[in-house]
Amino acid sequence: MGKKIILFFSCLSLALIMSPLLTNADGSGGVSTEPLASDQKASFFPVSVWYTGGKVRAPMIEKVTPASAATWKKDLEQIKKLGFNTVRCWIEWAYNEKEEGHYDFSALRLLTDLAGEVGLKVICQVYIDSAPEWVGQKYPDSAFVASNDLKIHSQAAPGYCFDHPGVQAKILNFFSEAARAVKGKPAFYGWDLWSEPHIINWSEVYHLGNLNYLQFCYCHSSQARFRQWLEKKYQTIEAVNEAWHRTFKSFSEVEPPRFGTILTYTDYLDWQEFITDKLAEDLALKAQAIKKILPETVVTSHSAIPGLFSQPAWDGTPDDRKMNHSVDYYGVSIYPKHAGALRPWSPFFRAAGIDFARSMAWENNGFYVGELQAGYGVFGLKVSLPVTADDLRDWMWSLVGSGARAINIYAYYPMSSGYEAGGYGLVDLDGRITPRAEAAGKIAGVINRNMDLFLKTQSPPADVALLYNRLAQMAGGQQSFTSEGRPVGYNSLSESLQGLHRAFYEQGIKVDFLDVSDLKEKAKDYRLIILPYPVMISRPYIGELIKYVEDGGTLLSEARAGWLDEKGQAFPTIPGGGLDQIFGCREARLLPVEKIGRMIISQNHPALPYLRSGDELDTVFFEESFEVKDKEAEVLAKSQDGEPLLVLKSHGRGRALVAGSFPGLAYHHFGNKNNRSLFTGLAAWLGIKPDPEIKLSSANALIEAKYLNGPGYRLLFVFNRGGEKVKSQLLMILPWKEASWKDLETGQAVPTGRQDGRTSLELELEPQQVRVFLIEKMGK
């Protein structure tokens, strides 16, 4: 659940590698787990509330009594009346298999039958993070073990290590038995196999052992699995010794790293890569356990937060791109007003997170919102701002307009117990219907009545890609600090990406986040790729970027591109791996920036249409000046003492630019509009324009417009993200000569005009107002 937040991470598992390895950080081989196709994927759009019968909070389950059917059915009828088409129930290993081999799925069966009677579908969330006591008694060697050899005694949570062969077999059998319990029930639709995957969940164990940094799992089963992973990667123990600077005689001697050293951190990089491979493989195993009983059922899972905001230093964090390979749909929890956050999510933060989830799910043609916040947050005595009806309208349409294929609202009733008691409910605990419940239900109704329209849409392609290179967060291994003393891994990559995304978002230009593992297949789809925070990047991916430029693409890189490779070893020249050849320069000087520095535009240039000579951009962390010897390379900006800081060079059929700092990161922190103009001006130079173009009555207004394309129609979503009423004009080019417009929620026709050969739509929007339009082709 999204409310567990990011405090409760970590531990590794599995003794036998039972599914194929995924692509490694070095770009090498590995057969990806095949996405699991399902006929049901394209036929239904779930809009659900979390409800499992009664008022107990997840993962607890109310015992079935003679009164349960009537009470639960009354709730289900109300959920249906509000407009929802699905309920999302849950099962828990600790409750449903209290004795080994004795399964009690009576609540799941009853709820599914009742849901069918009132016309609702059912999605089931499976929890194995809390385990029955007999597991530890049967397998005393299955407890999680920390990097300091501390054994974690389960208190229902965190359960036991999935890497243990006996535990793994019991867990997978539990999944299969659950599938058998609903087999043949027409109301049952699908599964979420893993809520917010991590090695350890629901257990605040990181203060144990008086250490600031614990890793998991170091049990004998996890270590055995890691050794097998290493053997697949390196083939020989001699190759491991060379990479790790060790003297092992056999793989049986190898253990995962427990701390960093000054010599090398290749062992740490391998450990982190293993963790992400393992999590994806574990998810695939769970999917297979369900699919062998119900081949056509939909299987899903979801992360705690968009992966853009997480990092490997939070031990046990999944790689969203890899997880997408293992299920029909992978997704995310969205809690914009979580009680654990310092403030509500800004429109920029939320938009970046949603776009990241969408981008990582491109192969699955959509993503699932596993949890969407229903009510105000509670964390002990800390409470968030209220969640309003306008919030839910904004959040739900934002997700649907980004290509979500399911919205699961957490939860129907507020939490009944625990440190979140009273929070996160759509209705009150006594059942009183709230305005936000009615608002969410109305949107669910609109989706249900127009389901075919939504299911046949696709998000339009973007011309700009922001490269997501997870490896960059691991530069320096376990001890990574900036010149300011702040850990480098502390979201520096994320903040660069957020700054870049915001720059384009503010100007209405759509961008994708492109995972480095997809460069070979997808780089050609983009006219501009931006490489943020590129301090550590694998050699094969550098090769793909060079090919992209040679084939006609435009690449902009931030500072110290290719400083380190996938082993953590320094390239002899920076930019490294051959990037110096496409940029036409090499690093000449590197200076730390105490807080904020300056990059000064040195000439008027077509590549910088929104900047003029003398304009100043902010720099941060480093200023890397360049030695420029290539006669074709042009210096576009300099440091305050006149050294080259921004260089452009044509290479092959494309162009490459390198900036000697982190202008995206600086824009995230300081908001200098000249930094934004660097990025959006470069897009304009390449002919990339906002779609639609938005003209505003106020310079301070922020209107977002996004659309989905269907066969012969378009769904347009328009949001007022600002705090004031605003008049706006949208100008867009449609693929048809004539089209009809209507408000999808009201059904009323919408008048439009023509201007400069484009369709013109004039709107007046209240703060936080959302409008959704159906645009349909007319004639042949």
Side-chain angles (χ1 to χ4, degrees):
M1 301 160 20
K3 302 149 298 312
K4 301 180 252 146
I5 331 196
I6 312 154
L7 300 174
F8 311 151
F9 290 174
S10 270
C11 171
L12 251 209
S13 22
L14 242 133
L16 299 175
I17 294 183
M18 299 178 65
S19 53
L21 294 176
L22 300 164
T23 304
N24 295 319
D26 61 3
S28 63
V31 179
S32 295
T33 307
E34 287 294 323
L36 297 162
S38 171
D39 292 341
Q40 295 193 66
K41 282 182 65 173
S43 63
F44 188 63
F45 192 122
V47 187
S48 83
V49 292
W50 283 62
Y51 175 82
T52 207
K55 298 180 179 180
V56 294
R57 63 153 303 157
M60 299 175 180
I61 298 171
E62 186 173 284
K63 184 177 180 180
V64 176
T65 69
S68 295
T71 303
W72 296 5
K73 189 171 184 178
K74 182 179 178 181
D75 282 339
L76 293 170
E77 287 172 339
Q78 181 60 63
I79 291 168
K80 173 71 173 179
K81 182 179 178 182
L82 282 169
F84 297 98
N85 60 28
T86 305
V87 287
R88 186 183 180 107
C89 67
W90 55 86
I91 57 176
E92 181 203 31
W93 193 20
Y95 180 89
N96 295 104
E97 194 185 357
K98 293 176 181 177
E99 297 181 24
E100 182 182 359
H102 296 276
Y103 302 96
D104 179 7
F105 293 115
S106 56
L108 175 61
R109 291 190 182 97
L110 176 60
L111 185 80
T112 303
D113 290 340
L114 293 172
E117 290 177 16
V118 304
L120 293 170
K121 295 287 188 182
V122 175
I123 295 174
C124 183
Q125 177 71 62
V126 185
Y127 289 112
I128 60 164
D129 305 276
S130 53
E133 304 299 332
W134 61 262
V135 179
Q137 296 165 6
K138 186 178 182 72
Y139 304 113
D141 59 341
S142 66
F144 292 114
V145 177
S147 49
N148 65 347
D149 286 330
L150 180 69
K151 178 180 178 180
I152 305 301
H153 296 270
S154 182
Q155 301 168 184
Y160 301 92
C161 188
F162 187 73
D163 291 348
H164 188 283
V167 171
Q168 181 183 126
K170 294 299 181 182
I171 288 173
L172 296 180
N173 194 60
F174 178 77
F175 276 92
S176 295
E177 289 298 322
R180 289 188 179 94
V182 294
K183 187 174 183 178
K185 293 185 180 295
F188 194 86
Y189 176 72
W191 306 82
D192 189 304
L193 307 174
W194 201 349
S195 174
E196 303 177 350
H198 288 96
I199 302 301
I200 276 188
N201 228 337
W202 298 355
S203 303
E204 195 171 356
V205 300
Y206 294 93
H207 65 285
L208 299 175
N210 296 317
L211 291 177
N212 293 324
Y213 183 68
L214 287 180
Q215 299 179 82
F216 289 90
C217 179
Y218 289 74
C219 74
H220 67 90
S221 297
S222 292
Q223 295 201 42
R225 184 175 179 182
F226 180 52
R227 293 184 192 107
Q228 291 175 356
W229 184 92
L230 285 172
E231 193 164 3
K232 282 180 177 287
K233 177 175 180 176
Y234 287 101
Q235 302 295 312
T236 68
I237 193 63
E238 289 77 17
V240 174
N241 286 333
E242 182 178 356
W244 287 23
H245 194 68
R246 301 294 291 275
T247 56
F248 301 120
K249 292 183 174 61
S250 69
F251 279 98
S252 63
E253 297 179 6
V254 180
E255 291 189 356
R258 299 171 188 267
F259 51 85
T261 73
I262 199 173
L263 303 172
T264 180
Y265 55 90
T266 307
D267 52 356
Y268 172 76
L269 299 176
D270 283 336
W271 178 240
Q272 292 298 329
E273 190 69 20
F274 164 67
I275 288 173
T276 59
D277 278 359
K278 168 205 150 40
L279 290 171
E281 291 167 3
D282 292 353
L283 179 57
L285 288 172
K286 295 169 184 178
Q288 292 163 14
I290 291 286
K291 289 276 191 176
K292 73 179 183 181
I293 308 301
L294 298 173
E296 297 305 316
T297 196
V298 173
V299 291
T300 75
S301 177
H302 66 282
S303 285
I305 55 174
L308 172 64
F309 308 133
S310 67
Q311 57 177 308
W314 299 337
D315 189 39
T317 302
D319 182 324
D320 288 3
R321 187 72 193 95
K322 290 180 180 179
M323 300 299 270
N324 267 278
H325 291 307
S326 299
V327 285
D328 293 318
Y329 289 111
Y330 192 70
V332 67
S333 292
I334 300 291
Y335 285 85
K337 289 186 173 180
H338 196 290
L342 294 176
R343 62 187 67 86
W345 290 8
S346 71
F348 313 110
F349 186 88
R350 178 156 46 95
I354 293 172
D355 275 344
F356 187 87
R358 171 186 59 78
S359 298
M360 295 300 106
W362 66 269
E363 275 184 317
N364 294 339
N365 192 31
F367 62 99
Y368 262 38
V369 182
E371 303 175 40
L372 177 63
Q373 184 173 355
Y376 73 94
V378 175
F379 195 90
L381 295 180
K382 184 179 179 181
V383 298
S384 75
L385 292 172
V387 172
T388 67
D390 285 342
D391 285 334
L392 280 173
R393 278 186 51 79
D394 182 357
W395 301 345
M396 291 177 73
W397 283 130
S398 294
L399 291 159
V400 173
S402 297
R405 286 293 188 254
I407 305 289
N408 298 278
I409 295 177
Y410 192 91
Y412 185 62
Y413 282 115
M415 303 298 97
S416 58
S417 61
Y419 56 74
E420 294 171 336
Y424 302 103
L426 190 65
V427 302
D428 291 340
L429 198 53
D430 64 0
R432 186 180 72 89
I433 303 302
T434 64
R436 64 182 179 276
E438 293 174 335
K442 286 179 181 177
I443 294 176
V446 173
I447 294 171
N448 214 35
R449 291 190 300 273
N450 299 279
M451 189 174 294
D452 197 47
L453 287 176
F454 288 98
L455 289 173
K456 290 182 179 179
T457 59
Q458 290 189 330
S459 186
D463 290 317
V464 180
L466 310 179
L467 199 65
Y468 179 68
N469 173 32
R470 199 171 188 267
L471 188 64
Q473 295 175 309
M474 292 180 268
Q478 291 101 316
Q479 48 276 326
S480 306
F481 295 92
T482 70
S483 58
E484 294 178 319
R486 187 175 91 147
V488 169
Y490 188 81
N491 278 344
S492 295
L493 172 64
S494 173
E495 290 173 351
S496 281
L497 286 162
Q498 288 179 61
L500 289 164
H501 183 277
R502 178 172 180 170
F504 289 104
Y505 176 83
E506 289 173 331
Q507 299 303 302
I509 298 174
K510 181 181 179 180
V511 299
D512 288 343
F513 292 94
L514 177 63
D515 191 89
V516 286
S517 66
D518 293 320
L519 268 171
K520 187 172 185 177
E521 182 173 356
K522 289 185 64 67
K524 63 183 183 299
D525 297 338
Y526 301 98
R527 296 158 71 180
L528 172 63
I529 292 179
I530 300 181
L531 177 58
Y533 204 72
V535 295
M536 188 174 186
I537 185 167
S538 299
R539 292 171 187 265
Y541 298 142
I542 291 177
E544 292 296 336
L545 289 170
I546 293 172
K547 183 178 185 299
Y548 166 74
V549 173
E550 291 174 341
D551 290 345
T554 298
L555 174 68
L556 169 64
S557 175
E558 291 190 316
R560 302 226 90 189
W563 175 6
L564 305 165
D565 69 7
E566 64 274 16
K567 296 179 181 180
Q569 297 178 355
F571 283 99
T573 301
I574 301 175
L579 290 172
D580 59 316
Q581 298 301 308
I582 69 168
F583 293 133
C585 61
R586 62 177 292 168
E587 182 179 282
R589 182 184 71 181
L590 184 69
L591 295 177
V593 174
E594 184 175 350
K595 183 176 181 181
I596 185 171
R598 292 288 183 267
M599 178 189 298
I600 304 169
I601 301 300
S602 56
Q603 62 166 299
N604 298 333
H605 194 279
L608 307 176
Y610 302 154
L611 294 169
R612 290 291 177 265
S613 180
D615 286 346
E616 295 187 355
L617 282 69
D618 292 339
T619 60
V620 69
F621 280 6
F622 303 137
E623 282 188 359
E624 175 191 31
S625 60
F626 300 107
E627 177 186 344
V628 183
K629 290 188 175 181
D630 194 310
K631 294 180 181 179
E632 296 183 5
E634 301 177 76
V635 177
L636 305 186
K638 296 182 178 181
S639 64
Q640 290 176 297
D641 62 354
E643 295 300 314
L645 282 186
L646 180 64
V647 179
L648 164 67
K649 179 180 179 291
S650 294
H651 182 82
R653 299 199 306 273
R655 290 155 293 202
L657 297 91
V658 60
S661 192
F662 305 99
L665 182 62
Y667 187 63
H668 173 77
H669 282 287
F670 310 121
N672 184 339
K673 292 182 180 180
N674 285 340
N675 286 54
R676 181 180 70 191
S677 294
L678 168 66
F679 310 124
T680 58
L682 186 57
W685 180 51
L686 298 173
I688 301 169
K689 300 177 180 179
D691 183 21
E693 180 185 353
I694 304 173
K695 296 183 177 181
L696 301 172
S697 60
S698 169
N700 296 322
L702 179 61
I703 299 293
E704 179 184 2
K706 61 176 72 178
Y707 62 86
L708 300 171
N709 287 327
Y713 64 93
R714 176 174 289 183
L715 295 173
L716 174 66
F717 306 80
V718 186
F719 307 84
N720 182 357
R721 301 298 192 197
E724 61 183 60
K725 187 176 182 178
V726 63
K727 292 181 180 180
S728 64
Q729 181 188 30
L730 277 65
L731 297 170
M732 60 195 308
I733 298 175
L734 296 174
W736 324 290
K737 290 183 179 180
E738 295 184 61
S740 64
W741 288 63
K742 74 174 182 181
D743 187 304
L744 190 65
E745 294 184 278
T746 67
Q748 294 180 342
V750 176
T752 60
R754 299 287 294 178
Q755 182 175 320
D756 301 327
R758 294 178 288 178
T759 300
S760 171
L761 173 67
E762 295 188 0
L763 295 173
E764 188 173 47
L765 298 172
E766 298 288 343
Q768 210 175 3
Q769 187 178 358
V770 186
R771 296 286 301 275
V772 183
F773 302 98
L774 171 62
I775 311 167
E776 293 184 284
K777 176 184 177 182
M778 294 177 63
K780 294 183 179 180

